[in-house]
Amino acid sequence: MKVKQKTKRAVAKRFHVSGAGKVMKNGNTNTSHLALSKSHKRKMHLRKAGALSTADCRRLRRLISK
């Protein structure tokens, strides 16, 4: 009998797989603490979910897979 691999919950909370199959970051750090001293441009760019490199995608997709 083959044993299924469990989802790594710490990884699942930080990353998700997009519809196209890319592994995306859920959010960025440094967005709320001491936000007044950061420029609008810096905070605006931190809103976007970033895609990861293909080398990281392969490794993380195995950990997220259900």
Side-chain angles (χ1 to χ4, degrees):
M1 183 170 93
K2 186 176 178 181
V3 179
K4 286 186 176 180
Q5 182 177 355
K6 289 186 178 179
T7 300
K8 295 288 182 186
R9 298 310 298 161
V11 176
K13 290 169 188 173
R14 288 165 175 80
F15 302 98
H16 68 277
V17 181
S18 69
K22 294 180 182 177
V23 178
M24 308 288 282
K25 284 170 56 176
N26 280 350
N28 287 299
T29 57
N30 305 320
T31 53
S32 58
H33 182 67
L34 296 175
L36 289 174
S37 62
K38 295 171 181 117
S39 69
H40 175 70
K41 180 180 179 180
R42 184 171 163 190
K43 290 184 285 187
M44 186 177 62
H45 286 297
L46 286 170
R47 283 185 212 138
K48 297 178 185 173
L52 297 174
S53 67
T54 53
D56 291 332
C57 287
R58 231 176 288 130
R59 186 166 45 87
L60 287 170
R61 197 175 284 125
R62 284 181 50 221
L63 300 173
I64 299 172
S65 65
K66 293 173 177 139

